[in-house]
Amino acid sequence: MEFSVITIFPEMFQLFSGYGISSRAVQNEQVKVSTINPRQFANNRYQSIDDRPFGGGPGMVMMYEPLEKSILAAKNALTKSAKVVYLSPQGEPLTQKKVNAFAKQDALILLCGRYEGIDERLIETHVDEEVSIGDYVLSGGELPAMVLMDSIIRLLPGVLNDSDSAIEDSFYDGLLDCPHYTRPAVLPDGQKVPEVLLSGDHKKIQQWRHQQKLKRTFERRRDLIECLCLSEEDKQMIAQWVQTNKK
Ligand code: 9WO
């Protein structure tokens, strides 16, 4: 998987070859990260890539031409068919489903805005997908681009050493994850691990974990339950919880 990131802060992406799973993936050449700074395509002697907004108002807008040249340079370096993703609060919400689809691509161009945003005409003509990682405003698209990259990289074949941990995670079945515990079984203040996990009964453990996932999702994210196809057993359990909540 190749990422070409268009950013006026390319140094931020050095982080990616420095730490954890992503740096291993870069070292093993499963992932390539390159950056393009639109400043190199600025056409005036002040190297400016932003200008005042038509219609007035505060702040600056990133200009069309340096960004277009950056995208063309990225497509030349990767492949003409690489998708261009613009990270912005106006984008479609990022979901695990979207991440899974991105992970099937060979190359992605991530466009990071700054200031008040970019010239809308660039979005219309050159952006394939506009993606939001949440309903808040940051100072630029770089951190969201890194969030997107991290979510994709961990899914690539051979990146996680334990091939199961990616699909066993939160969201692979559309549910939140269950609680986890490790040694010691009893803490100095007496806090214990749920008995069933020490029982060695794998069938029971699996059942318990599934129930915990369902319960947590019901309690914390009822919106997620609505999108699921549940077994009759699960539906009954939820119906019971709804009943107890009413009392
Ligand atoms: C700045 C601003 C200032 C005053 C009033 C409204 C305003 N909106 C913005 C703004 O949206 N700036 C963005 C900064 C322009 C595009 C890059 N920036 C950005 C991306 N901030 N937050 C994101 C982002 C991207 C993906 N998911 C969540 C947030």
Side-chain angles (χ1 to χ4, degrees):
M1 179 95 178
E2 281 191 79
F3 295 101
S4 180
V5 188
I6 298 170
T7 169
I8 58 169
F9 294 115
E11 300 83 3
M12 287 179 75
F13 291 83
Q14 287 172 13
L15 194 89
F16 254 81
S17 20
Y19 304 94
I21 285 163
S22 63
S23 77
R24 219 178 315 134
V26 169
Q27 241 151 39
N28 298 345
E29 298 190 339
Q30 288 153 315
V31 172
K32 272 171 123 180
V33 182
S34 55
T35 55
I36 293 175
N37 190 339
R39 258 189 223 294
Q40 72 184 95
F41 300 111
N43 58 9
N44 61 32
R45 65 193 172 100
Y46 302 106
Q47 287 222 320
S48 52
I49 43 133
D50 57 315
D51 207 339
R52 291 155 58 210
F54 278 124
M60 300 293 268
V61 175
M62 291 180 92
M63 297 163 77
Y64 184 97
E65 284 180 294
L67 292 179
E68 177 181 56
K69 286 176 179 157
S70 302
I71 289 171
L72 296 179
K75 290 200 169 187
N76 267 328
L78 302 175
T79 155
K80 299 278 176 295
S81 63
K83 285 224 160 78
V84 178
V85 181
Y86 176 52
L87 290 306
S88 100
Q90 286 75 45
E92 281 188 50
L94 185 65
T95 58
Q96 189 62 49
K97 197 171 155 197
K98 270 213 171 68
V99 174
N100 297 349
F102 281 132
K104 295 190 178 119
Q105 303 282 318
D106 299 320
L108 285 176
I109 297 166
L110 306 182
L111 179 57
C112 305
R114 281 269 153 184
Y115 316 111
E116 265 57 66
I118 69 181
D119 192 305
E120 187 68 19
R121 291 168 293 184
L122 190 89
I123 302 176
E124 286 164 7
T125 55
H126 289 83
V127 169
D128 298 298
E129 292 202 48
E130 194 169 350
V131 171
S132 164
I133 64 157
D135 293 333
Y136 35 77
V137 180
L138 303 167
S139 52
E142 282 80 4
L143 290 171
M146 289 190 214
V147 168
L148 178 60
M149 288 163 73
D150 189 82
S151 68
I152 293 169
I153 290 171
R154 61 185 291 286
L155 294 182
L156 300 177
V159 169
L160 284 187
N161 32 18
D162 180 355
S163 63
D164 290 302
S165 37
I167 52 159
E168 289 240 339
D169 260 338
S170 251
F171 291 125
Y172 103 96
D173 52 8
L175 295 171
L176 299 182
D177 209 359
C178 57
H180 301 284
Y181 303 88
T182 187
R183 291 195 294 177
V186 185
L187 290 171
D189 67 359
Q191 292 187 80
K192 288 190 196 137
V193 167
E195 206 65 54
V196 58
L197 297 178
L198 310 174
S199 70
D201 185 338
H202 290 290
K203 183 111 196 270
K204 263 221 169 100
I205 292 172
Q206 222 182 356
Q207 267 175 357
W208 180 85
R209 284 186 170 148
H210 180 69
Q211 274 175 25
Q212 290 290 314
K213 289 180 183 186
L214 204 58
K215 187 150 180 279
R216 278 189 161 187
T217 313
F218 175 77
E219 283 167 356
R220 301 180 187 187
R221 294 293 305 277
R222 224 158 286 190
D223 59 305
L224 294 178
I225 297 266
E226 263 128 59
C227 326
L228 292 174
C229 298
L230 296 171
S231 69
E232 284 309 312
E233 227 181 328
D234 287 353
K235 281 183 195 162
Q236 259 174 29
M237 205 145 38
I238 288 172
Q240 251 173 26
W241 291 330
V242 173
Q243 278 302 315
T244 25
N245 278 11
K246 275 186 194 156
K247 281 176 202 163

